[in-house]
Amino acid sequence: MEPVYGTVITAARLLWLAEGLKFTISGVENVPKTGAGVVAFNHTGYLDFTYAGIPAYLQGHRYVRFMAKKEVFDNKYGGPIMRSLKHIPVDREQGSESYRTAVEYLKQGELVGVYPEATISRSFEIKGFKSGAARMALEANAPIIPTVIWGAQRVWTKGHPKKLGRSNYKIMVGVAEPLEPTGDADALTAKLHKVMSEKLLELQDAYGEHPKGEFWVPARLGGSAPTLEEANRMDAEEQAARAAKRAAREQGEDG
């Protein structure tokens, strides 16, 4: 047992109880009881990782070491907690160090949580995947544990106000059968994308009503979320603007 991690989980459960969140968790048996595993999960909101760790905790109180952007660790309040939980900071400009740390954790028999999409999916569909999850699974000879969350975007997602009060929202977490670390990274990544896309459809079918026009409902289901293509364009524009701002800042420093 890790006292800090246990305390954080207890606090999270109390928050979820206060929010009235209703969880449906499936596929817990697909999380290995011991040994390494890459917990690959979709990214629809800022709190996904707190829900993605539930199946592992239900499987013998296992903990997941999540990879998260470096800025979270720079926060004076959240940073010390993230480090004490042994989560892994990711510098998007220099990701090799975080990758090496994740592989070492896997070789030590840990569960490592990864967002294959890298950034939040504004469409709430499964975006294109980076190959990092597959590469670390192959290098560490660890299975990939495909995990899909649905409903988390209702609590707090990009471009919409967070709703941490009493909401009684339903959140579903489904774990598919582990993928063995075989083949090359591209093929394994494609297989992971297919499995997670199918699991998302399964959870959406079981979720219940998806009201027309709601921001958290995909366009495919009649919601007002952007389509995957529209969301990809928005992401590209945002990345270009961020790069231009960074370049201007660096030019100013050089001047």
Side-chain angles (χ1 to χ4, degrees):
M1 292 294 293
E2 297 181 27
V4 177
Y5 214 135
T7 299
V8 169
I9 289 175
T10 297
R13 293 173 71 176
L14 290 174
L15 175 61
W16 298 337
L17 183 64
E19 292 175 289
L21 299 183
K22 297 175 173 59
F23 290 96
T24 299
I25 313 296
S26 59
V28 171
E29 69 280 2
N30 291 321
V31 179
K33 293 182 178 179
T34 59
V38 178
V39 179
F41 57 107
N42 64 319
H43 202 0
T44 63
Y46 294 111
L47 298 178
D48 294 325
F49 73 98
T50 65
Y51 312 131
I54 295 175
Y57 188 74
L58 294 176
Q59 185 67 294
H61 288 192
R62 298 205 66 187
Y63 300 135
V64 181
R65 313 302 176 183
F66 290 102
M67 301 183 76
K69 61 183 180 180
K70 178 178 174 292
E71 289 80 358
V72 178
F73 291 79
D74 293 337
N75 181 279
K76 65 179 181 180
Y77 300 112
I81 296 175
M82 295 292 283
R83 282 187 285 275
S84 67
L85 301 181
K86 300 180 183 178
H87 294 325
I88 305 168
V90 177
D91 186 336
R92 289 175 180 167
E93 301 301 316
Q94 299 176 328
S96 60
E97 183 177 350
S98 59
Y99 175 86
R100 296 306 325 162
T101 301
V103 170
E104 286 304 311
Y105 275 9
L106 291 168
K107 289 181 176 179
Q108 293 168 19
E110 298 269 14
L111 297 175
V112 173
V114 182
Y115 290 115
E117 297 166 292
T119 56
I120 288 176
S121 173
R122 303 173 197 251
S123 70
F124 309 125
E125 306 282 11
I126 302 291
K127 294 170 56 176
F129 281 1
K130 306 292 185 181
S131 63
R135 288 188 290 109
M136 65 179 65
L138 290 167
E139 185 170 345
N141 193 32
I144 300 180
I145 306 162
T147 304
V148 174
I149 303 161
W150 187 244
Q153 72 272 27
R154 301 180 71 180
V155 179
W156 190 12
T157 193
K158 192 167 191 172
H160 298 277
K162 57 180 174 289
K163 298 180 180 179
L164 299 178
R166 188 80 179 177
S167 64
N168 297 319
Y169 291 150
K170 177 163 58 173
I171 295 177
M172 303 185 76
V173 183
V175 184
E177 292 185 8
L179 302 181
E180 292 304 314
T182 58
D184 61 40
D186 288 343
L188 187 54
T189 298
K191 186 174 184 179
L192 175 63
H193 191 280
K194 180 176 183 293
V195 168
M196 290 182 64
S197 296
E198 291 172 348
K199 177 59 71 172
L200 177 64
L201 294 178
E202 177 186 316
L203 294 186
Q204 288 174 336
D205 286 344
Y207 191 81
E209 184 183 5
H210 289 85
K212 303 296 183 183
E214 286 288 330
F215 80 89
W216 60 273
V217 178
R220 172 175 51 83
L221 297 177
S224 60
T227 64
L228 183 58
E229 292 73 22
E230 291 169 342
N232 286 338
R233 187 189 69 250
M234 294 166 69
D235 288 344
E237 291 172 350
E238 184 178 86
Q239 289 172 7
R242 189 183 300 121
K245 184 177 181 180
R246 183 169 60 250
R249 183 175 64 248
E250 291 173 352
Q251 185 176 9
E253 292 173 352
D254 292 340

